[in-house]
Amino acid sequence: MTSARKPLGSHHRIVIKIGSALLVDRKTGLKKDWLDAICDDIAALKKNGADVQVVSSGAIALGRTVLKFPAGALKLEESQAAAAVGQIALARAWSESLSKHDIVAGQILLTLSDTEERRRYLNARATINQLLKIGATPIINENDTVATTEIRYGDNDRLAARVATMTGADLLVLLSDIDGLYTAPPHLDPDARFLETIADITPEIEAMAGGAASELSRGGMRTKIDAGKIATAAGCAMIIASGKTLNPLKAIENGARSSWFAPSGTPVTARKTWIAGQLQPAGEMHVDEGAEKALHQGKSLLPAGVKLVKGNFGRGDAVAIIGAQGREIARGLAGYDADEARRINGHKSNEIEAILGYVGRSAMIHRDDLVMTGAAVKIKKAKKDEVDA
């Protein structure tokens, strides 16, 4: 059954992606009035209790206006120079506009490997979550100063979708110069039909995607559909809407036309299905009965409940959790490298600093990174017992 569309204000965690053309005019630079207006919208969402993250394009576009680069395609080194100049100006603009609402902005610059490599993924997620925890608004962009064609997203639509799944967002809003998905590019086909609700991204839906609509935008409907596939598969709804008007989020809330993509499930369910079914365990953690009971109650795995650590895994790798009966009861993403896990297993969380020399995470595996599997996987000891019997 397809989930029903909900008001923006009823979502818990929202990622808003903003296209370059909305923020930056090629001739005059930053659109300050527009930025102030969307910050009003963000403040309203936060006041209503939502966590808000912004994936903001515009660094290269803004930098090229500051550097007075001519119109047209830029060389890679020119783009990187424009990004270096523009990112400072862009971050300052966001900080100033949000500060009018007593909201602190935090800048996060990501590259492709930051969301695709498990260790860096976990570090990026931890930083973003900490910013949200203290009430700040992360302003996220691809690190265009160092990214090259081979190691970049190349558009912020897909980056925003990765951020949404990484942080457990339940809504992704893509704001650009088009108000939603049409059966064909409307600027080419006057008979193109607007689609308000997309229950599933089928091959037919993918075929409707067009190309980029302006020279300031590297993305187009193609990348938005790709973003939709990433987000909805992880249980995150997605909206494509026009950002041309002032207060575009308020406009969506008031019924402005937009396309809504239904999520395929909840973020937690989709993520945990991925952990359980897609990753091969790199090691094992054997737990006592008390820890096993706690896990079944939805709690995190603490070092005190771990009796034995096997394997040579790194932080962020998938490990199997073996229960008191010698069978796999869960899988999760390790919060520590194997050697550190061995040093702290059996100890209380408040002893971690004294053992490792730094203040580590209290959980060996956080409950958000853990899924109960109940798989009937026996370890060697269990097989030996069967032989002895």
Side-chain angles (χ1 to χ4, degrees), residues 199-272:
D200 188 30
I201 300 178
T202 62
E204 290 75 21
I205 293 295
E206 293 187 62
M208 297 174 188
S214 80
E215 74 166 33
L216 292 182
S217 173
R218 287 198 296 254
M221 193 54 68
R222 171 74 267 164
T223 63
K224 290 172 176 54
I225 296 301
D226 288 344
K229 291 169 67 177
I230 294 168
T232 58
C236 178
M238 186 179 84
I239 291 174
I240 298 176
S242 173
K244 290 182 177 180
T245 182
L246 294 179
N247 302 103
L249 300 177
K250 183 178 180 181
I252 295 171
E253 197 77 313
N254 291 338
R257 187 157 73 168
S258 61
S259 293
W260 183 77
F261 293 72
S264 61
T266 66
V268 171
T269 299
R271 172 173 166 72
K272 291 192 175 183

Side-chain angles (χ1 to χ4, degrees), residues 19-31 58-74 213-217:
S20 296
L22 301 178
L23 263 178
V24 182
D25 182 273
R26 185 167 58 85
K27 295 181 180 179
T28 61
L30 184 71
K31 298 179 182 178
I60 294 176
L62 186 56
R64 69 184 296 164
T65 65
V66 175
L67 296 171
K68 303 187 186 308
F69 284 156
L74 297 176
S214 80
E215 74 166 33
L216 292 182
S217 173

Side-chain angles (χ1 to χ4, degrees), residues 83-232:
V85 172
Q87 195 62 57
I88 293 175
L90 187 64
R92 181 174 64 245
W94 275 108
S95 180
E96 290 176 352
S97 290
L98 286 171
S99 68
K100 296 175 183 177
H101 302 277
D102 295 323
I103 298 172
V104 175
Q107 184 185 55
I108 303 286
L109 297 178
L110 299 174
T111 58
L112 180 64
S113 55
D114 290 321
T115 59
E116 301 309 298
E117 293 179 14
R118 293 299 304 170
R119 179 184 294 268
R120 296 170 71 170
Y121 166 100
L122 289 173
N123 287 334
R125 187 184 69 175
T127 300
I128 294 172
N129 283 339
Q130 181 61 27
L131 286 170
L132 294 172
K133 182 179 179 180
I134 62 178
T137 295
I139 306 298
I140 303 161
N141 195 3
E142 183 164 16
N143 193 351
D144 290 308
T145 62
V146 297
T148 62
T149 303
E150 294 78 15
I151 57 168
R152 75 179 311 138
Y153 278 97
D155 67 88
N156 273 352
D157 294 323
R158 283 175 287 211
L159 174 59
R162 288 294 189 198
V163 169
T165 60
M166 180 169 63
T167 60
D170 55 345
L171 178 65
L172 168 63
V173 181
L174 302 181
L175 295 177
S176 67
D177 45 15
I178 191 167
D179 57 3
L181 178 64
Y182 290 77
T183 53
H187 63 289
L188 299 177
D189 185 353
D191 296 323
R193 182 169 53 88
F194 179 79
L195 300 178
E196 184 176 0
T197 300
I198 297 87
D200 188 30
I201 300 178
T202 62
E204 290 75 21
I205 293 295
E206 293 187 62
M208 297 174 188
S214 80
E215 74 166 33
L216 292 182
S217 173
R218 287 198 296 254
M221 193 54 68
R222 171 74 267 164
T223 63
K224 290 172 176 54
I225 296 301
D226 288 344
K229 291 169 67 177
I230 294 168
T232 58

